[in-house]
């Protein structure tokens, strides 16, 4: 593909055709660009510069930081179409989804620009005359983030937005697969007069080394990670050495439960978005579809019809709904899960094989007769496969849904108000959507429990992740 727009010009300074790290289009395998990378020595220097710059940044009033963040928001929105094309080129998602991602990413900058002004402390009624008891919120300090390829824009703004709003500096290592979107965000932040050292993106082909540097460097006070649970555990262990604050948004295994009393058409609409957004490559994608006996066959018939109609292809082409998987490893994993499930007794209602659109495309698939002990029900699929598990009653649905070490997102469709409350309360998940297939928004706290992570992103709680609470006792106040 050729890129020659204004955004492309802005990111030229980050490219290095001769020695850079190649960035590939997962739909075609073609190289889009090669980006400059940073050695650990160079990254260490960037960390020290960030730590130096953050004191002036934190000393600005919240109003001024908010203005800069708002300018950044406007920059991102002004380049919306070009950012979306870049995002599709490097991560493969259909253009309509990339456009939605730009808006989603920008919404975190706008939200935290507003929240910057609301980092309130409190006064606490005193226990003794002449003494005041109060709290103030202060920026955590210099932070580092490691971000994934599946939302190459939004997973950065969801971390950098609150960090900068709070008065922190942030150094980000983006995924090796999608550094261009990240670098575009850095270039647009610079256009919004956010000081260069306050937000830096450091592409590297050595993720383990950079992770270790972030987790062990004494001036980094917080590390935020979105990615797999095994890598999250490793970073947690490394960060323990210097007791850093952490936010971890890790893997999921979302149940999507359809009860007998559900509005089936609404449930199908919700499942199509929840399961097939980004070709099934999100941590909150429906991973197991639990359908109650009474509606099972009707629901599966409707689902198969819709899944067969999905248009697979290069995400930059009009009308495409399912793009490629990110790389060959992902393709091998998804293919193996489908083959293993069929071998273990699941029925392939549609799909089940790679797709002719190219090397990294998998046909949207529905499997029935899946049981909770199959590998496909135990793993985070990260691909366009909907495994359907049949259940009899509410207690069984909740038991199966909770039978996983993960606890990120859960979805269910029901109309009985008592059931809605009981099931919402019974699901051991950080986020539960009832009669809705998408729950991500900047205004609500995103995050998981159990092995799905620590901390929350978005909402007013997302700002607290970058603030320390200082208690001050002031005595000697009596006249
Ligand atoms: C993720 O997959 O990590 C994030 C999904 C979202 O924000 O909706």
């Amino acid at each position: 593909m050729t890129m020659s727009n204004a955004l492309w010009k802005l990111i030229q300074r980050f490219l290095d055709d001769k020695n850079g790290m190649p960035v590939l289009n997962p739909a075609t395998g073609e190289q889009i660009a090669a980006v400059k990378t940073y050695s650990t020595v160079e990254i260490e220097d960037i960390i020290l510069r960030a730590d130096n710059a953050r004191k002036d940044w934190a000393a600005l009033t919240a109003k001024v930081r908010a203005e800069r963040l708002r300018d950044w928001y406007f920059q991102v929105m002004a380049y919306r179409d070009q950012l979306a094309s870049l995002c599709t080129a490097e991560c493969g998602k259909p253009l309509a989804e990339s456009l939605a991602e730009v808006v989603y990413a920008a919404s975190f900058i706008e939200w935290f620009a507003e929240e910057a002004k609301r980092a309130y402390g409190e006064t606490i009624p005193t226990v003794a005359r002449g003494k005041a008891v109060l709290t103030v919120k202060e920026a955590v300090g210099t932070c580092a983030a490691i971000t994934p390829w599946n939302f190459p824009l939004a997973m950065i703004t969801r971390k950098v937005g609150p960090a900068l709003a709070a008065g922190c500096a942030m150094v980000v290592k983006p995924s090796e697969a999608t550094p261009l979107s990240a670098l575009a965000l850095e270039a647009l932040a610079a256009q919004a007069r956010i000081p260069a050292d306050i937000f830096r993106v450091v592409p590297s082909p050595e993720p383990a080394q950079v992770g270790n540097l972030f987790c062990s460097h004494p001036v980094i006070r917080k590390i935020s990670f979105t990615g797999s649970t095994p890598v999250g555990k490793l970073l947690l262990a490394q960060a323990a050495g210097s007791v850093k604050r952490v936010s971890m948004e890790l893997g999921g295994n979302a149940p999507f439960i359809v009860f007998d009393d559900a509005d089936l058409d609404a449930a199908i609409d919700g499942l199509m978005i929840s399961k097939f957004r980004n070709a099934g490559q999100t941590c909150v994608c429906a991973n197991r579809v639990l359908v109650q006996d009474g509606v099972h066959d009707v629901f599966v018939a409707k689902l198969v019809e819709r899944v067969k109609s999905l248009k697979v292809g290069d995400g930059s082409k009009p009308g495409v709904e399912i793009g490629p998987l990110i790389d060959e490893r992902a393709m091998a994993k998804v293919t193996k899960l489908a083959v293993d499930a069929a071998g273990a007794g699941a029925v392939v209602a549609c799909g089940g094989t790679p797709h002719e659109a190219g090397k990294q495309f998998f046909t949207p698939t529905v499997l029935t007769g899946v049981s909770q002990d199959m590998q496909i029900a135990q793993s985070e699929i990260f691909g366009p496969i909907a495994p359907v598990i049949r259940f009899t009653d509410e207690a069984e649905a909740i038991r199966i849904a909770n039978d996983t070490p993960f606890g990120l997102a859960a979805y269910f469709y029901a109309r009985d108000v008592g059931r809605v409350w009981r099931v919402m309360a019974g699901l051991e998940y950080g986020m539960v959507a009832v009669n809705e297939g998408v729950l991500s928004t900047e205004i609500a706290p995103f995050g998981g429990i159990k092995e799905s992570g620590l901390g929350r992103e978005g909402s007013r709680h997302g700002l607290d992740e970058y603030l320390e609470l200082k208690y001050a006792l002031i005595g000697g106040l009596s006249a």
Side-chain angles (χ1 to χ4, degrees):
M1 76 179 285
T2 45
M3 291 251 181
S4 60
N5 54 35
L7 185 68
W8 192 245
K9 290 199 181 85
L10 278 184
I11 61 174
Q12 283 306 306
R13 64 188 166 100
F14 302 119
L15 306 184
D16 175 355
D17 286 344
K18 273 210 190 99
N19 304 311
M21 178 170 72
V23 184
L24 306 182
N25 180 333
T28 60
E30 284 165 17
Q31 180 167 326
I32 308 163
V35 296
K36 272 185 209 151
T37 58
Y38 294 83
S39 67
T40 44
V41 172
E42 288 168 317
I43 297 176
E44 183 155 20
D45 183 53
I46 287 167
I47 291 171
L48 293 175
R49 292 168 71 101
D51 199 52
N52 205 28
R54 72 161 168 96
K55 289 148 199 151
D56 288 342
W57 178 249
L60 293 175
T61 61
K63 189 171 162 60
V64 173
R65 287 199 303 275
E67 279 164 8
R68 302 282 172 84
L69 283 168
R70 215 169 31 244
D71 285 353
W72 188 23
Y73 162 77
F74 285 125
Q75 287 288 334
V76 170
M77 290 304 284
Y79 284 86
R80 181 182 166 184
D81 293 338
Q82 297 173 25
L83 275 169
S85 300
L86 194 60
C87 178
T88 289
E90 65 178 352
C91 87
K93 67 176 66 171
L95 198 51
E97 287 191 35
S98 291
L99 281 165
E101 183 179 344
V102 178
V103 176
Y104 182 44
S107 75
F108 289 107
I109 307 176
E110 184 189 39
W111 172 267
F112 286 110
E114 292 156 357
E115 286 299 292
K117 293 179 275 185
R118 296 186 192 110
Y120 303 132
E122 60 193 340
T123 54
I124 299 170
T126 188
V127 284
R129 277 198 195 169
K131 292 183 186 184
V133 181
L134 49 104
T135 65
V136 286
K137 288 188 176 173
E138 295 177 344
V140 162
T142 299
C143 304
I146 300 177
T147 57
W149 50 265
N150 62 341
F151 287 84
L153 296 159
M155 295 306 101
I156 293 181
T157 56
R158 193 152 87 179
K159 299 175 192 308
V160 180
L164 270 50
C168 302
M170 177 69 103
V171 181
V172 178
K173 190 209 74 64
S175 161
E176 300 84 273
T178 57
L180 295 168
S181 301
L183 293 163
L185 286 174
E186 181 183 322
L188 295 173
Q191 299 218 126
R193 294 171 303 135
I194 290 174
D197 293 330
I198 286 298
F199 166 40
R200 288 296 305 275
V201 172
V202 290
S204 164
E206 302 289 351
Q209 273 182 23
V210 180
N212 191 29
L213 174 68
F214 283 173
C215 289
S216 58
H217 201 286
V219 309
I220 301 271
R221 288 312 320 145
K222 168 168 179 124
I223 172 130
S224 178
F225 170 68
T226 296
S228 74
T229 295
V231 174
K233 287 180 181 174
L234 185 69
L235 294 171
L236 272 172
Q238 291 174 347
S242 48
V243 195
K244 294 192 196 317
R245 285 184 59 158
V246 291
S247 292
M248 295 277 148
E249 204 259 271
L250 308 177
N253 183 351
F256 187 106
I257 312 170
V258 183
F259 287 99
D260 280 348
D261 62 326
D263 173 338
L264 290 194
D265 291 326
I268 293 279
D269 287 344
L271 179 57
M272 293 306 289
I273 304 176
S274 171
K275 174 69 251 183
F276 295 100
R277 189 164 68 121
N278 201 7
Q281 302 173 105
T282 88
C283 348
V284 289
C285 271
N287 205 59
R288 294 167 292 157
V289 185
L290 278 57
V291 187
Q292 195 162 8
D293 269 338
V295 292
H296 178 276
D297 295 353
V298 183
F299 184 83
V300 166
K302 284 174 185 275
L303 178 62
V304 168
E305 194 185 322
R306 283 284 290 277
V307 171
K308 278 182 171 168
S309 75
L310 286 169
K311 186 168 171 190
V312 181
D314 182 332
S316 65
K317 301 283 185 296
V320 164
E321 294 162 295
I322 300 286
L325 299 183
I326 190 66
D327 55 27
E328 285 179 7
R329 209 159 54 120
M331 191 65 194
K333 175 188 163 192
V334 169
T335 309
K336 182 169 184 326
L337 283 174
V339 170
D340 286 356
V347 175
V348 181
C350 66
T353 53
H355 191 277
E356 68 211 10
K359 274 203 335 218
Q360 284 171 215
F361 290 84
F362 197 83
T363 311
T365 297
V366 177
L367 300 174
T368 58
V370 173
S371 58
Q372 178 61 8
D373 56 352
M374 289 182 190
Q375 193 57 38
I376 196 145
Q378 300 288 335
S379 319
E380 189 175 26
I381 303 169
F382 248 62
I385 303 180
V388 180
I389 301 175
R390 187 191 275 263
F391 71 89
T392 311
D393 58 25
E394 205 177 290
E396 187 188 11
I398 294 176
R399 184 184 53 71
I400 296 173
N402 289 341
D403 182 16
T404 162
F406 299 106
L408 190 58
Y411 308 81
F412 71 94
Y413 278 69
R415 279 185 286 204
D416 177 84
V417 70
R419 166 174 283 169
V420 164
W421 186 261
R422 283 190 304 273
V423 177
M424 184 278 292
L427 288 169
E428 294 166 356
Y429 286 82
M431 299 177 283
V432 179
V434 186
N435 299 325
E436 292 288 337
V438 177
L439 40 60
S440 312
T441 159
E442 79 281 10
I443 67 168
F446 189 105
I449 61 172
K450 296 162 75 179
E451 294 194 13
S452 287
L454 294 167
R456 293 294 178 270
E457 296 191 311
S459 81
R460 68 187 172 85
H461 304 286
L463 186 65
D464 278 337
E465 300 279 331
Y466 294 89
L467 291 166
E468 294 288 6
L469 191 63
K470 181 181 274 177
Y471 150 50
L473 170 67
I474 307 180
L477 299 180
S478 298

